[in-house]
Amino acid sequence: MATFVDHHATMPMPPEMAQAAVEKLKSGKADQFGVTGINAYVGATDTWCLTEASSADAVHKSHEAMGISLGTGDVQEVQALV
């Protein structure tokens, strides 16, 4: 599995969407697209998600299922330095 970071402007995030995201992250389980959430980082107007997935396309599909549309270039494969 590869690690991906994605960026989306979704703030303020509706409470029900935030709760669903927290529950998904805490479960540690892959969703129907094979995407496992590692963590999410929320700023004043933007959100960044760190996930493990087989492809960027899977990350797009996973977000779309939650009602979040990611644009081209919003998902990048990343590698840890440490």
Side-chain angles (χ1 to χ4, degrees):
M1 286 290 193
T3 303
F4 294 89
V5 67
D6 65 76
H7 168 260
H8 43 94
T10 58
M11 294 305 291
M13 187 180 289
E16 60 277 358
M17 183 182 282
Q19 184 60 37
V22 168
E23 289 174 13
K24 185 175 179 180
L25 287 166
K26 283 185 175 182
S27 79
K29 296 179 183 174
D31 65 14
Q32 68 265 35
F33 306 102
V35 176
T36 302
I38 298 170
N39 211 335
Y41 305 89
V42 180
T45 59
D46 300 273
T47 300
W48 295 264
C49 299
L50 188 62
T51 57
E52 287 184 338
S54 60
S55 67
D57 185 56
V59 176
H60 277 273
K61 289 177 181 176
S62 177
H63 277 72
E64 287 169 7
M66 292 186 297
I68 300 168
S69 183
L70 298 173
T72 303
D74 285 344
V75 179
Q76 297 292 320
E77 186 172 353
V78 295
Q79 316 234 321
L81 293 177
V82 182

